[in-house]
Amino acid sequence: MPYLILTSVISIIVALLALQNGANTSLNFILWQFEIPLICVILGSFLAGALVSSLILMYSKLQHLVTNYKNNQEIKRLNKQVDDLKANIALLTEPVHTVNVESEEVKVEDATTTPVDKPAEEKKSEEVVKVQ
């Protein structure tokens, strides 16, 4: 909204300036010479500046859109990767049952603790069941 107000004020000022300067003027461009009203020179310069600034603004917005699209794609890829990692964590934290076939005994261990983490007393008190 402030952009629209600012643009309107500048346009009114340029229009008033152009209307007050209606005299003919000589315009030289390379090899050509023109006799045109000063109002046309002022308005033509204003419109050319507005066109150039609009093109620059559109280019900048296009760059932001492309960057935004790439960032959104990266976010989707990373969210999928997070979901996959959460699924792997869920699989790894399930209880694990091991079977010792050589001694015909079955040992039940909890996957949240590893044999390295267990103290010596806990290792001795593991539940051992004879296989029949």
Side-chain angles (χ1 to χ4, degrees):
M1 187 69 176
Y3 178 75
L4 181 63
I5 293 171
L6 180 65
T7 304
S8 299
V9 169
I10 291 174
S11 298
I12 290 171
I13 291 171
V14 169
L16 289 174
L17 178 69
L19 288 175
Q20 291 176 355
N21 294 296
N24 282 342
T25 187
S26 177
L27 181 67
N28 298 318
F29 181 71
I30 304 178
L31 299 176
W32 299 287
Q33 183 175 3
F34 303 102
E35 283 290 324
I36 57 173
L38 188 57
I39 188 170
C40 293
V41 174
I42 293 171
L43 290 178
S45 299
F46 177 74
L47 293 175
L51 178 66
V52 169
S53 65
S54 296
L55 291 175
I56 292 171
L57 180 66
M58 286 188 339
Y59 178 74
S60 175
K61 284 205 174 245
L62 182 64
Q63 281 183 327
H64 287 287
L65 286 174
V66 169
T67 303
N68 192 22
Y69 177 77
K70 287 179 181 178
N71 289 341
N72 285 336
Q73 293 300 317
E74 181 72 10
I75 288 170
K76 286 178 186 178
R77 186 186 67 78
L78 291 173
N79 281 335
K80 185 180 181 310
Q81 188 177 3
V82 166
D83 292 340
D84 292 344
L85 290 173
K86 284 181 181 179
N88 286 343
I89 289 172
L91 288 174
L92 293 174
T93 57
E94 290 179 359
V96 176
H97 302 287
T98 61
V99 177
N100 188 349
V101 180
E102 293 176 6
S103 64
E104 297 180 1
E105 296 175 346
V106 176
K107 294 182 181 180
V108 178
E109 294 181 6
D110 186 5
T112 58
T113 60
T114 61
V116 175
D117 295 338
K118 293 182 183 178
E121 298 111 40
E122 284 188 45
K123 287 183 182 178
K124 291 178 185 177
S125 66
E126 284 183 345
E127 186 178 331
V128 178
V129 179
K130 285 280 187 186
V131 176
Q132 298 181 14

